[in-house]
Amino acid sequence: MTHNMLAYNIIYHKQSVRWIKEGETVYDYCWYPLMTSFDAATCCVAATGRDGPVHLWNVFTGDLCCTYTPHNHLDELISANSLGFTRDGSHLLCGFPKCIRVFPTASPGKQCRMIPTVVDKCKFGQSGIISCFAFHPSDEDIFAAGSYTGSVGIYSLSTGTLQFLVEGHSGGITHLVFSADGNYLYSGGRKDPNIICWDIRNPGKALIRMRRNVETNQRMYFDLDSANQYLVSGNHSGKVSMWDTRQSNDEAVLNTSLSFQAHKDCVNGISIHPVLPVIATASGQRKFPLSSLNHSSSSDEDSDCYENDSVQDNCLKLWSLASQQYSIDLTEENCT
């Protein structure tokens, strides 16, 4: 992976092929892991949003396949904050404050199994809202869960027990990725510049750290290639950073191997193609009109306003490692 990937700048403008409208703000989504484009029935995505249940949508037709409805002890509908399918697609995990609910994928409705993340009697466990999931690549019983308190827990799916807990982030966890061999777990947080690599065979101490620019509370994704060597992440500045995790480094902070300006706005989404030499990046963030800002307010909500930043770059780009760039423009003009 060298600077040759930026040698050409060939842009193709395309429109999205499918729009699926949720009723409220979308908190999280996840693809069905056994999806294949050759079988339309498997092309499904689960989504959760404010004041609503979890919906499973067919992306080929845009139809609603089924609904998972989590309820609290008062039999009131509650919204999941995060979602994650197990690798075999048999169960859908939903994150809530201090608990995880596990739904059988084949049995939509309200019936589910609850995994408490905090033991009330001794107050031990993982507190806060469960914000994201990652699943072990070879052991289907092991999964990781992040919390907005900044902790990462490793759980047994069959027993629901917490195996161990690691902490080291200054912000809430928003994304987790296991290495392909399952020995390492990478975690990243909101308003936290660090991506931390944990050796789950020897938990408790951060193995290495990679620095990026994260200035807001939005999710900032990163990805690891199938060879467990290159990790890529977006930045608030619109740059994409790449690290070689195999490089020898005596310092706790890993040096950046490659960085380039990919977008004019925050790069919040990034993904490496599992087979082809292609990286996908997505950009954009919430913008506040200048007229709506109350400059006399000192609330936390105003801390994420960008009154001096009028650039809007809401698009998806495909970067070819074979020395070409392709860009799929999803700006508001093409989305209406």
Side-chain angles (χ1 to χ4, degrees):
M1 294 186 181
T2 66
H3 290 280
N4 291 333
M5 64 182 292
L6 306 179
Y8 296 94
N9 187 15
I10 304 174
I11 299 179
Y12 299 89
H13 296 280
K14 295 181 179 290
Q15 291 186 346
S16 58
V17 296
R18 180 68 60 197
W19 275 87
I20 297 175
K21 180 67 175 178
E22 284 282 355
E24 275 288 356
T25 302
V26 176
Y27 289 154
D28 198 10
Y29 71 94
C30 63
W31 288 94
Y32 181 63
L34 303 183
M35 170 188 170
T36 171
S37 297
F38 299 104
D39 185 359
T42 65
C43 297
C44 298
V45 61
T48 178
R50 184 172 62 186
D51 299 330
V54 178
H55 292 140
L56 186 67
W57 299 92
N58 185 291
V59 296
F60 260 79
T61 63
D63 295 333
L64 179 64
C65 299
C66 61
T67 300
Y68 304 90
T69 55
H71 288 72
N72 60 16
H73 63 287
L74 298 176
D75 203 30
E76 299 170 332
L77 177 67
I78 52 177
S79 301
N81 296 96
S82 56
L83 299 174
F85 278 107
T86 56
R87 288 195 174 270
D88 62 0
S90 61
H91 292 85
L92 176 64
L93 276 62
C94 304
F96 297 88
K98 299 182 181 180
C99 79
I100 299 167
R101 286 177 167 84
V102 183
F103 287 88
T105 306
S107 301
K110 62 186 295 185
Q111 297 300 320
C112 63
R113 178 168 65 97
M114 190 172 73
I115 299 176
T117 61
V118 175
V119 180
D120 291 333
K121 293 183 179 179
C122 59
K123 302 298 181 181
F124 170 77
Q126 187 176 22
S127 60
I129 298 173
I130 302 302
S131 54
C132 55
F133 298 99
F135 298 88
H136 196 279
S138 57
D139 190 340
E140 295 183 356
D141 189 51
I142 300 298
F143 72 92
S147 168
Y148 281 138
T149 59
S151 63
V152 178
I154 303 296
Y155 292 84
S156 167
L157 181 61
S158 59
T159 64
T161 55
L162 176 65
Q163 305 298 307
F164 59 84
L165 192 70
V166 293
E167 296 177 309
H169 283 276
S170 60
I173 308 300
T174 55
H175 192 46
L176 297 168
V177 172
F178 270 106
S179 62
D181 57 13
N183 293 330
Y184 304 100
L185 177 67
Y186 296 83
S187 59
R190 59 186 187 181
K191 286 190 175 180
D192 186 336
N194 292 307
I195 298 175
I196 301 180
C197 176
W198 309 91
D199 187 345
I200 66 171
R201 299 166 299 181
N202 184 25
K205 183 179 180 181
L207 191 62
I208 54 175
R209 295 172 184 262
M210 289 148 281
R211 295 285 172 82
R212 58 179 181 169
N213 177 232
V214 181
E215 299 180 5
T216 69
N217 285 324
Q218 71 180 129
R219 293 180 185 268
M220 296 283 288
Y221 293 95
F222 56 89
D223 201 7
L224 184 69
D225 74 338
S226 57
N228 292 338
Q229 182 172 0
Y230 293 103
L231 186 142
V232 293
S233 173
N235 292 268
H236 186 84
S237 61
K239 290 185 176 181
V240 168
S241 299
M242 182 181 299
W243 297 266
D244 183 353
T245 61
R246 296 181 184 176
Q247 67 175 298
S248 58
N249 192 347
D250 296 332
E251 301 295 330
V253 179
L254 201 62
N255 296 322
T256 305
S257 299
L258 174 65
S259 180
F260 63 93
Q261 191 74 36
H263 295 266
K264 297 178 181 179
D265 205 349
C266 174
V267 180
N268 51 64
I270 195 162
S271 180
I272 302 176
H273 195 283
V275 180
L276 300 177
V278 174
I279 295 177
T281 60
S283 65
Q285 59 183 316
R286 186 179 181 184
K287 300 290 185 178
F288 294 85
L290 289 173
S291 59
S292 68
L293 296 180
N294 182 3
H295 296 285
S296 63
S297 173
S298 60
S299 65
D300 292 339
E301 191 174 3
D302 281 344
S303 64
D304 284 347
C305 300
Y306 303 93
E307 56 265 42
N308 295 324
D309 184 2
S310 59
V311 176
Q312 291 192 6
D313 183 9
N314 304 318
C315 71
L316 167 69
K317 291 183 179 181
L318 301 183
W319 299 85
S320 173
L321 304 184
S323 303
Q324 289 188 18
Q325 173 200 341
Y326 302 89
S327 174
I328 300 177
D329 192 344
L330 295 181
T331 59
E332 290 186 5
E333 294 179 353
N334 291 336
C335 291
T336 55

